[in-house]
Amino acid sequence: MAPTANANEELSSLLRFLQNTAKLPLARALSAAKPLLAANLKSNAAIASESSLVQLTEVLSGDDKLAKQIHAAAKRSEKSGKRGSSAIDDGGSAAGNKRRTKVATEGAAASEVEKELALALPGLPSNEETSQRDDEDTIASTTIETNRAPLFLAFAIVALKYTHPEQPLSSRLSLAQAVVSANAKSKAESIGVEEKGRENEGPGKGFKATKILGREIAVLRRDVAPGGHDQSSADPPLWGVDMAALEKKDTSSKMGSSAQLPIHRPEAARSYLLRSFLSPDKQTNRSRNSASTKQSGADDKHKPLAHLLQALDMLFSSWANTTLSLQEGPRTRDDVSTKRPGLNAAQLDSRAWDWYTRVRPRVEPGVAGWGAKGSVDFKEILALRRHHAT
């Protein structure tokens, strides 16, 4: 069932507090928001007045450092609010200007949060969430016909959830599209479909590079991060640079801002993914008029994509020990003794390419297979999980 407008407002408000006041990056804020909402801790006021630090730690699955950060921010916000409510706002005062700037900043952050939420992909759990997966037998019985590029995009998006968990979904979509485009360009050149361009001589001179599925791609720190993410942090949100478009536009002299450089837009990557994995019987829902039927039809037509993303998430999560590799390490001695070491980010990235090559569609080599479709059996993806692999 789709969330109500009120539920969306509560989530947006809580995310603004977690990012702007508690200073959490968006990916971390999103994972913390769900248990807080489930515990009816929907605002900084509720967190400050209705929960003790011990209770908040329990709600956040024993993450005492995170609980302290959120609880302290809620207390600060409540004290600041009480002082502000008793003060007279002089329209021309420095304090008044500061408050208006803060309101404007929070408004921009709210808009970015709404954009981020709109990018949600069917079936893909957020960081640290697995409860929304469909039945495993249903996923394993799914087979799709696709070409290689959208499957590679899906692999990259899910891989980035585990290799770069600090990146919000918008960044992961952009980065994933960047590596897919670079891979397609290299393939096209190798089979003679396209002439070699200088953008394929490396990740891009003058750009920071990051490795995704074994390939270095050019990245750019984002000018405006979702929810006002602190750009001074060690792991700022990134965009994937569109090197082919950059060469065409010849904007190499303007390398300071994402507003001046072509980037891979997350909306385009998401749209491509949704179009590429539609259910074969999507046409049957077009003549139905009820709102519930339309919602059901929308969910049904994206079931193949949902099952693909869930299968990939099950694969990556089986090899990544989330307690040890995605957070800050073991919290107790029991975590060390009961958890098998998971693969680190670099190891997962290296494995991801191998996993992709094992399950990608089998097509004719060379030009004959360029863009051709083939079958992908999801049970083959699930068979690569750690407890299944030999």
Side-chain angles (χ1 to χ4, degrees), residues 91-106:
S93 69
N97 290 334
K98 184 176 181 180
R99 276 189 287 273
R100 280 190 295 277
T101 300
K102 181 179 179 181
V103 169
T105 300
E106 290 183 351

Side-chain angles (χ1 to χ4, degrees), residues 26-79:
L26 182 62
R28 196 73 180 99
L30 283 168
S31 65
K34 287 203 171 185
L36 290 173
L37 289 173
N40 208 34
L41 299 174
K42 301 177 180 180
S43 66
N44 57 308
I47 294 170
S49 62
E50 299 175 18
S51 68
S52 67
L53 183 56
V54 173
Q55 292 169 326
L56 190 59
T57 302
E58 291 176 355
V59 168
L60 297 170
S61 303
D63 193 332
D64 56 340
K65 182 177 179 180
L66 178 63
K68 288 177 182 177
Q69 185 174 348
I70 293 175
H71 199 259
K75 292 290 187 181
R76 288 196 309 271
S77 182
E78 278 298 281
K79 289 180 181 179

Side-chain angles (χ1 to χ4, degrees), residues 263-321:
I263 60 170
H264 289 284
R265 296 300 311 172
E267 300 86 356
R270 179 181 184 272
S271 178
Y272 176 55
L273 203 60
L274 292 176
R275 295 194 313 270
S276 299
F277 297 103
L278 290 176
S279 175
D281 59 352
K282 63 184 182 301
Q283 302 287 342
T284 60
N285 294 314
R286 288 187 174 179
S287 61
R288 302 173 185 174
N289 296 319
S290 73
S292 60
T293 300
K294 286 181 180 180
Q295 181 61 49
S296 175
D299 292 342
D300 289 344
K301 76 177 183 179
H302 294 308
K303 271 297 181 184
L305 175 58
H307 288 165
L308 171 61
L309 294 175
Q310 289 172 4
L312 292 172
D313 193 66
M314 293 165 73
L315 167 60
F316 280 91
S317 65
S318 74
W319 287 94
N321 184 314

